Amino acid sequence: MKIFYGLGLLALAGCTTISHPSLQRLDPSIHQAIFVTPIQKHPSEAFLSAWQKQDEAWHRVYSLHAVIGRNGLAAPGQKKEGDGKTPWGVYPLGPAFGYATSIHTGLIYRQASTDDFWVDDVNSMEYNQWVHGMPQANSFEHLRRQDNLYQYAIVIGYNMHPIVKGAGSAIFMHVWRNYKSPTAGCVAINQRSLRKILHWLDQQYQPVIILE
């Protein structure tokens, strides 16, 4: 098990063990979780905490400020394409992606090139999918952005199995512009913290994100 020390990261032996009830309801096979909850006065701002399960107990190993969709969290089952909301629920994390050929992470990693896109056209057969080469769609997102928001990123497995057209697409955890700038529906944090979280995450622990 990887245990981190330093800014914002706590040794497992001394970190918080009082966990949210949502963690206790997760499948027993899940041993890593990221919990994100909006700050009431500012719905696009959120508190993020990272949790590791050891000996059947959940331990908080990291906590920080995050931003979410400009219109906050969608009500359960109500997320729609273009609504500016982050989906409510529990979703798998990964793969990771970014601009470097490789990064230090336990997740599957994929390099994004200038020929990689994510389709958000609800009428396209490629809706909510990573596409290499020009998509057969009227609307899509460049994964190699000029503003470097996707220099480090993780796919949040929302609306994947199955894909429901119009239910929302391209939901990631990525680098924020700043702590006051909301997203179009993703979860965003500062780059330094995201790199630490990528280092900590490991696919063998079946990591998930809880948005509620």
Side-chain angles (χ1 to χ4, degrees):
M1 179 180 294
K2 291 178 282 188
I3 302 174
F4 295 92
Y5 301 84
L7 180 65
L9 291 165
L10 309 173
L12 214 57
C15 60
T16 302
T17 57
I18 300 174
S19 60
H20 193 280
S22 295
L23 292 168
Q24 306 304 326
R25 292 193 290 268
L26 294 175
D27 187 279
S29 65
I30 295 170
H31 283 71
Q32 286 184 331
I34 292 176
F35 190 85
V36 180
T37 186
I39 297 171
Q40 284 189 333
K41 292 184 179 179
H42 306 280
S44 66
E45 298 179 31
F47 178 77
L48 181 151
S49 55
W51 298 79
Q52 181 91 35
K53 188 166 72 171
Q54 184 181 37
D55 298 328
E56 303 308 314
W58 284 98
H59 304 268
R60 189 175 67 192
V61 296
Y62 199 30
S63 60
L64 70 153
H65 185 84
V67 292
I68 58 174
R70 61 183 178 273
N71 293 319
L73 274 184
Q78 298 301 307
K79 168 67 182 170
K80 302 296 181 185
E81 186 67 43
D83 62 4
K85 295 181 179 181
T86 300
W88 178 293
V90 181
Y91 307 102
L93 285 170
F97 68 95
Y99 302 168
T101 55
S102 63
I103 63 171
H104 197 166
T105 184
L107 297 177
I108 295 172
Y109 176 78
R110 185 173 180 181
Q111 183 181 26
S113 73
T114 54
D115 291 322
D116 289 310
F117 308 89
W118 200 285
V119 175
D120 56 16
D121 178 359
V122 298
N123 296 312
S124 172
M125 295 298 294
E126 297 172 325
Y127 179 68
N128 200 28
Q129 296 178 57
W130 178 314
V131 176
H132 181 72
M134 187 56 61
Q136 299 179 20
N138 293 320
S139 178
F140 47 83
E141 187 169 2
H142 293 261
L143 293 180
R144 186 87 174 207
R145 296 173 61 114
Q146 295 299 312
D147 57 14
N148 290 333
L149 296 188
Y150 293 167
Q151 185 173 1
Y152 300 95
I154 307 167
V155 174
I156 295 174
Y158 168 74
N159 194 24
M160 295 286 195
H161 306 291
I163 295 172
V164 178
K165 290 187 176 182
S169 62
I171 305 299
F172 311 134
M173 179 182 292
H174 63 75
V175 179
W176 67 16
R177 296 182 190 277
N178 59 64
Y179 74 99
K180 289 291 187 180
S181 295
T183 71
C186 296
V187 176
I189 60 176
N190 71 82
Q191 185 188 114
R192 182 180 182 183
S193 296
L194 182 52
R195 291 179 68 180
K196 288 177 180 288
I197 285 176
L198 281 162
H199 188 183
W200 166 71
L201 286 169
D202 194 319
Q203 61 182 355
Q204 71 173 319
Y205 296 132
Q206 300 186 45
V208 299
I209 188 167
I210 304 169
L211 301 159
E212 60 181 43

